[in-house]
Structures are given as C-alpha cells and as structure tokens.
Amino acid sequence: MNSDILNKRINELVEHINTPEKRKKKENSNLKESIYTFTLDELKEWLQEQGEKPFRAAQIYDWLYNKRVKTFDEMTNLPKQLREKLNESFALSTLSTIVKQESKDGTIKFLFELQDNYSIETVLMRHDYGNSVCVTSQVGCRIGCTFCASTLGGLKRHLLAGEIVEQVVKVQQALDEAGERVSHVVVMGIGEPFDNFDALMKFLRVINHEKGLNIGARHITVSTSGIIPKIYQFADEKLQINFALSLHAPNQELRERLMPIARAYKLDQLMEAIRYYTEKTGRRVTFEYGLFGGVNDSIEHAEELANLIKGIKCHVNLIPVNYVPERNYVRTPRNQIFAFERALKKKGINVTIRREHGSDIDAACGQLRAKERVHETR
Ligand code: SAH
C-alpha cells in the first residue's frame, strides 16, 4: 500500500480530534504500512502480486516473529531485491518508545508514539504463570465509563491491526534481552476492542498463528464494555480465546450511572448475549466487577449480582477501584472487599480479587498517557 493510500486511511480513522490546534501534526509524507498488519495469507497474496514466490511469506514471518529482527536487511535468506522492495513498501517499526518505566514488582510500562504522533500505552505484567502483555486497541475511547481514565478526551482514532501486533513484538524484543517470552496477552489497555472489531480479529489471528507469535488462544483474553452485536459476532467465531465482560453493576439503573453504554445496550439483553456466548463456545465468561466505594459494593449488591449471573458458566473478578484524579470514586475498605467476596462465594459463585500491578508507575489503564500527554486526553 503506498503512502497516499495509507495517509488517507489514517485520516479516515481519525474520528474525533478534540483539540487539533494543540496537536503537533507530523509531515505524513513518508508513512508506510506496518508489515505486522499482514496475516500469513495476505503476505502470500502480496508476494504473488509482486511476482515473488509465496513460500517467502513463511520466511518473512519467521524473521518477524521468531527471530524478531529490527531491519529488513537482516532477513538474509531473502533475495536482496525483495528485501529492498519490502523496505520501500513497509515499515518494520511504527511505534517508537518514548517512556519505559519499570516498577518494583517487575511490571514494565511502555508509552509508544505512533507515526502520526499520537501515543498509546502497553504494560508487561509478571505473574507466577508467565509474562502477560496488556495491549491498547484504540487511541482514546468513546465509551465514556465514568470511572475510567482512558475515556478522558474521547476517541482520537482506531489502531490498525499492525499497531496492536507491534505492541506485543516490542515487548517481546525487550524481553529477548533476558531470554524471556511473552506467554499471555490481554486486550485490556486503552480503548474498546469491540469498537475496533476487524482490527482486533486480525490482531488475534496474527498473534495466535503458529508461525506468528504462537500465543495460545487460551492465553489470550479480550475484554469488552458490552457492545451486544459484537458479542454475538465474537461468539460465532468460536475461538478458544478467554472472554471478559466489564459488568460493574448488578442492575440496569446502577450500570447506567457507571457506564453510559448501558443506555444503548440494556442489561437483560446483555446477559442474554453472554448466555449465547457461553452456550455457543462452551467456554466460561469472566465478569469484571470494579468495587467503587459506597456505590456498588454492599452485601446487597453482591447478592443481587449473584442472582443476576446465576446459572451462567462464569467467574467474577473483583477490581478494587484505581484512583483516577479526575474521577470521584473512592476505594472500598479491605474488610468490605473480603465481605463482598464471601457473599458471592456463599452463593456458589467463583470469585477472585484482582492483584494490583505497578501501582507505583501509573500502570492502571490510561494513567501514564493521561499524565505524560495531557494535551491528548483533554
Ligand atoms: N474497554 C474494554 C477494555 C478495558 S479493560 C472494557 O471496558 O472491558 C480495563 C478494565 O478496567 C475494564 O473492566 C474497566 O472497566 C476497568 N477499569 C477502568 N477504569 C478503572 C478504574 N479506575 N478502577 C477500576 N477498574 C477500572
């Protein structure tokens, strides 16, 4: 794809630019398509169009995802003229690291700058079961959850599939130095992945492909705020990928207060879509439930929640609220978090409390970007 078409595409993707005068616009003249946007089949097609052998696609994938080279020139088993053609046509790096912060617990937070100067964040979390990368799916977000930092300033644009894939590649390259591997991926960074569905699906295919990053479907989690039509579409894909719903409230009225999207997608219809998902895929769903002090964290709320999800193959993940200066929510006291957990357990619900990572480095969604790039989030 030449740079004019790509520039046009990026412009099409820019949906809301709230403060264009504040945004330093780069000369977009030499923008190139990211090579990471291509599925293996698409790469074969491109090669064929260029009069090249399709088997080169697997070789290129090997350089990209196994050897993880940083220049096309290092792809030494490709003919020189093909390397040159690749170099002219595509970018091997569309994200540049502007901040890399490491926390005491090993969490690493990256702030990347995109080709058009917007910034996104990506987080590496260390667990006893492996290394998990939390990726961003959009620049900003238009869902407007009242507790979330990612939505401050609205949506700037969708990410291209390659920009999401490259976040994982960049983190893997950082881990290569220590001989470690990214084993898990969660789509829980900035943005609503189901609002950027096609790019999300392409991203999932590339990182899951055995010749790509080869991250097992069961090691990948996608989280949504609840865009109902996309939940059906996702269920019909019948992937083995883990699926999480940000529920946060046990009834319609409270959910509307916390998440304006609940006005468009009603809770009863949402639960119906979730049931469809669990039946169609045979997989359980994770309900994320943020505990907001004095808002949704009483024992009555826990019991109402248990009734709402009764009979659904599921797991509840309780998230003590992350403090966001621009938002007014306060933390639920520890005792009450445990009481809430016990109340759910008593009703036979599977439940865990989310452990915090990197709280000393603003690792919660959107916080680093909100701090470093004030102009983008206002
Ligand atoms: N847009 C998707 C992906 C984001 S995942 C979604 O809504 O699911 C990030 C998770 O953190 C979501 O469950 C989100 O609701 C939650 N979250 C956002 N801000 C938070 C805060 N201040 N405290 C606790 N959880 C928060």
Side-chain angles (χ1 to χ4, degrees):
M1 186 178 285
N2 71 33
S3 60
D4 285 341
I5 299 176
L6 182 65
N7 287 342
K8 193 162 158 268
R9 219 163 106 196
I10 287 192
N11 286 335
E12 280 165 10
L13 290 168
V14 176
E15 297 194 357
H16 304 278
I17 300 176
N18 294 349
T19 52
E21 74 283 359
K22 288 186 190 162
R23 195 165 94 58
K24 177 174 58 120
K25 217 172 162 144
K26 212 186 216 172
E27 271 301 301
N28 281 347
S29 54
N30 54 4
L31 285 189
K32 287 179 189 160
E33 172 104 81
S34 163
I35 186 82
Y36 300 107
T37 292
F38 287 82
T39 62
L40 193 60
D41 287 340
E42 287 169 343
L43 202 51
K44 278 184 195 159
E45 269 172 44
W46 181 84
L47 286 160
Q48 265 166 329
E49 283 166 20
Q50 305 297 315
E52 301 283 349
K53 302 271 186 305
F55 76 86
R56 300 283 183 204
Q59 289 179 324
I60 294 171
Y61 249 51
D62 187 47
W63 288 110
L64 293 177
Y65 299 111
N66 288 322
K67 305 201 174 80
R68 297 184 280 277
V69 293
K70 293 179 182 163
T71 61
F72 288 110
D73 223 33
E74 291 164 73
M75 302 186 170
T76 48
N77 59 358
L78 304 183
K80 191 153 187 292
Q81 54 82 17
L82 176 55
R83 277 183 267 158
E84 277 164 11
K85 203 184 286 176
L86 286 168
N87 202 23
E88 278 159 27
S89 312
F90 307 114
L92 195 51
S93 176
T94 63
L95 309 182
S96 53
T97 309
I98 40 182
V99 179
K100 183 180 168 194
Q101 278 184 334
E102 187 152 1
S103 154
K104 289 190 209 94
D105 63 13
T107 303
I108 304 179
K109 180 121 186 181
F110 298 82
L111 189 69
F112 293 121
E113 189 168 72
L114 307 172
Q115 290 190 98
D116 58 359
N117 281 118
Y118 281 124
S119 64
I120 56 168
E121 35 177 83
T122 307
V123 184
L124 165 71
M125 291 167 292
R126 317 285 186 136
H127 300 279
D128 43 14
Y129 55 78
N131 293 316
S132 171
V133 176
C134 179
V135 297
T136 284
S137 56
Q138 295 178 310
V139 182
C141 183
R142 58 178 161 188
I143 301 299
C145 299
T146 59
F147 45 80
C148 185
S150 303
T151 205
L152 299 165
L155 175 71
K156 306 298 187 189
R157 73 164 167 92
H158 295 304
L159 287 189
L160 301 163
E163 291 170 325
I164 315 179
V165 173
E166 200 185 325
Q167 293 173 55
V168 185
V169 173
K170 281 276 189 294
V171 176
Q172 179 60 64
Q173 284 169 340
L175 281 180
D176 282 341
E177 292 159 22
E180 289 184 64
R181 179 168 185 261
V182 172
S183 56
H184 292 69
V185 170
V186 298
V187 189
M188 292 193 176
I190 295 172
E192 167 49 53
F194 280 7
D195 189 31
N196 189 12
F197 195 80
D198 294 343
L200 170 76
M201 294 313 296
K202 220 163 151 186
F203 158 75
L204 294 174
R205 283 190 195 106
V206 172
I207 63 164
N208 178 232
H209 199 285
E210 54 173 5
K211 289 198 158 65
L213 285 170
N214 195 18
I215 295 169
R218 286 161 194 263
H219 286 190
I220 303 172
T221 303
V222 174
S223 175
T224 181
S225 56
I227 301 182
I228 292 177
K230 300 294 178 200
I231 295 176
Y232 284 100
Q233 217 175 318
F234 189 70
D236 289 339
E237 298 271 348
K238 287 203 180 163
L239 302 168
Q240 294 299 301
I241 286 172
N242 303 311
F243 176 55
L245 175 80
S246 298
L247 185 58
H248 302 317
N251 61 57
Q252 175 65 26
E253 187 253 316
L254 192 49
R255 195 160 191 271
E256 269 185 31
R257 253 172 62 200
L258 290 165
M259 306 174 75
I261 191 176
R263 282 184 231 135
Y265 298 116
K266 303 280 188 251
L267 187 57
D268 51 349
Q269 285 160 20
L270 181 58
M271 298 316 283
E272 215 173 283
I274 295 295
R275 280 199 184 83
Y276 178 86
Y277 171 85
T278 55
E279 278 155 26
K280 187 93 184 187
T281 61
R283 297 187 57 78
R284 73 174 188 181
V285 63
T286 296
F287 290 114
E288 288 165 281
Y289 193 98
L291 289 166
F292 303 104
V295 178
N296 66 349
D297 61 346
S298 71
I299 298 300
E300 290 74 37
H301 289 130
E303 284 169 355
E304 200 180 0
L305 173 63
N307 285 336
L308 178 73
I309 63 181
K310 198 167 60 193
I312 298 179
K313 197 167 162 185
C314 72
H315 170 95
V316 173
N317 195 15
L318 298 175
I319 316 172
V321 60
N322 287 311
Y323 179 66
V324 179
E326 293 82 355
R327 307 301 201 189
N328 285 325
Y329 296 103
V330 295
R331 276 214 162 196
T332 298
R334 273 174 73 84
N335 287 347
Q336 203 170 326
I337 297 177
F338 293 126
F340 197 97
E341 181 193 28
R342 276 197 305 277
L344 287 177
K345 278 192 173 152
K346 224 163 88 186
K347 295 259 184 184
I349 306 285
N350 254 315
V351 52
T352 48
I353 300 170
R354 182 185 286 181
R355 194 160 71 82
E356 269 185 282
H357 289 270
S359 48
D360 54 328
I361 56 161
D362 307 305
C365 338
Q367 288 184 352
L368 181 66
R369 175 172 167 264
K371 200 158 89 182
E372 296 284 330
R373 290 292 178 101
V374 174
H375 60 279
E376 280 183 29
T377 54
R378 294 295 181 276

